[in-house]
Each structure stands twice: as C-alpha cells, then as structure tokens.
Amino acid sequence: MKKLSILVCALSFLLLGTGFNHAPEITNAEDGKHQENPPNPHRSFIKEADFQRLKAQGYTKKEILKAAHIAKFADKKIDDVLKTYKQNDSSWDKTAAHYGLDMKKMKEKCQEKKEKFLEEHKEDVVENVAEYTGKTEAQIKAWADEGIPLRFIVGGAVMAKASNKDIEELIKMKKSGQSYHDIKKSLGLDKAKMHEEFKVLMGKIKEDIKD
C-alpha cells in the first residue's frame, strides 16, 4: 500500500497540479484503518475526521494538504504547521523554512521518487498505457527510450483521453520543448475530466502492480 500511495501521490502532483497531495493514505478516524475507497483520493498523511475539522475552521483544501505534507516531513502536528503558516504571512516557503525545510527540495524529492517507482514497475505502466491509449507497447517503450519520462507518458495519456487527442500529438509537443503544464494549459482541459481519467488509468495500473 505504501508504494502504491507514493505512485498515486506523485502522479496526482503531476496531473492535477496539487503540489504535494499524496494519496490515498487516508485513515478512518475511529479505527485507524485504511479506507479502500476514500471520498477524496488526493489526501494523505491526515485522517478524514481531521481534514473535515480543519475545513470547518476555515482552511482550504490546498492549505490543509500542503500543511499535512510539511507536517509529515518535519514530524510535527498539522495544526502547528497551519498556525505557523498564518503567522508567516500565509507563505509556504517561510513555513517550510521555519521547520528547516526547503519547498523546492521537497518537490524535487517527490519527482525523484515517482520516476523511480514508475521505472520499477515499467512493464505494468507500459502495458496499461498502451491499452488505455490504443497504442502498442513497443511504441510506448520507444518514447521512453527516446527520453520521454514515464511520468509524462502517463500524464500525457490522461490528457490525451480527456481532450480527445491522440497521445502522439502530445508527445510531439513535449519533444518540441513544451512542458507538461504548458501542454495542459494549451488544451484547456477540464479538471474534473482529468480527475476521472486519472482514476481510470491509475486504477488499472494499481491492480496490475498488486497482482
């Protein structure tokens, strides 16, 4: 479960632009067990009851998730992190620095973990992306061999499906120098549609990895 959560967390960051939203390690407030189908697959390091409590206090989803991530890295309570955040002009950089952390390095660490994990499960990823996009496994592998990161290939597959495009078009855009976020912006993608397609593809990949 831990490795699967790293994969989903990392791709959530890439696909949905949510910063450090690691998923789906949400726990039940009563028994502390993992929920098989949590109400929001982009929360982690925090119990559902605590998430709802903080929302009721006026914090946004983004604030809660970022604070939860910093709290995990700093081994602090999320309430303390949020308090520090408010005391530091609502700046995440200042909040992270308060706990001896660097936001840029935290993001880089997340990027490294996700690419490593995808490489470890490359066969499952390639197989599912090929099926999802209607391409051959050989074509997907060829893109990876040409230097296209697996995380972009997965993200590109989701963007292509959500925009009714051929993933090959997005790969060409990537090769031309456009970033993932540049491509996502140019396509004018609906976030809800992206979210749904993300769940479909990741559900398939997770099932194969568990097997």
Side-chain angles (χ1 to χ4, degrees):
M1 172 61 77
K2 184 177 180 180
K3 286 188 175 181
L4 286 174
S5 73
I6 291 173
L7 173 60
V8 181
C9 115
L11 293 172
S12 297
F13 170 78
L14 170 71
L15 300 175
L16 306 176
T18 49
F20 293 113
N21 304 357
H22 285 228
E25 297 238 350
I26 306 171
T27 57
N28 183 281
E30 281 75 31
D31 56 22
K33 295 180 181 178
H34 288 91
Q35 298 180 34
E36 293 299 324
N37 296 295
N40 188 326
H42 304 292
R43 294 201 286 273
S44 182
F45 306 148
I46 182 172
K47 293 180 178 179
E48 178 66 21
D50 288 333
F51 181 86
Q52 296 301 335
R53 172 178 60 80
L54 292 168
K55 278 193 68 177
Q57 291 178 17
Y59 292 106
T60 66
K61 172 184 171 182
K62 184 176 181 180
E63 288 175 333
I64 296 169
L65 295 174
K66 280 184 175 288
H69 194 89
I70 291 175
K72 181 69 174 181
F73 268 73
D75 193 24
K76 300 293 182 181
K77 293 181 179 180
I78 186 172
D79 294 78
D80 292 337
V81 173
L82 285 167
K83 182 179 179 180
T84 301
Y85 168 68
K86 291 299 184 182
Q87 292 174 341
N88 282 275
D89 307 316
S90 298
S91 167
W92 289 116
D93 287 329
K94 290 181 180 179
T95 302
H98 177 85
Y99 294 106
L101 300 172
D102 184 294
M103 290 294 286
K104 183 178 180 180
K105 289 181 179 180
M106 289 169 68
K107 290 180 181 179
E108 290 174 351
K109 186 174 182 179
C110 186
Q111 291 279 357
E112 291 171 2
K113 283 185 177 181
K114 61 183 154 187
E115 192 63 28
K116 180 181 178 181
F117 190 83
L118 287 169
E119 284 293 340
E120 289 175 352
H121 298 279
K122 186 174 181 177
E123 186 177 336
D124 290 319
V125 173
V126 169
E127 179 183 347
N128 280 282
V129 170
E131 181 181 349
Y132 181 76
T133 59
K135 298 297 181 181
T136 65
E137 291 183 32
Q139 180 63 76
I140 305 300
K141 288 179 181 177
W143 289 332
D145 291 342
E146 290 169 5
I148 303 298
L150 282 177
R151 64 181 183 274
F152 180 86
I153 292 174
V154 173
V158 171
M159 287 196 294
K161 184 74 72 170
S163 61
N164 293 315
K165 299 282 187 181
D166 189 312
I167 185 176
E168 195 161 356
E169 293 181 45
L170 277 63
I171 295 295
K172 288 179 180 178
M173 294 169 76
K174 174 66 174 176
K175 289 181 177 179
S176 72
Q178 295 187 57
S179 70
Y180 173 89
H181 294 291
D182 288 338
I183 297 171
K184 180 182 174 183
K185 184 177 180 180
S186 70
L187 294 173
L189 293 169
D190 177 71
K191 189 173 182 178
K193 180 63 175 175
M194 283 278 290
H195 183 190
E196 287 304 311
E197 292 299 337
F198 169 77
K199 289 196 297 182
V200 171
L201 179 54
M202 285 312 305
K204 294 177 182 294
I205 293 175
K206 287 196 296 178
E207 282 303 313
D208 278 0
I209 291 176
K210 283 192 291 186
D211 292 341

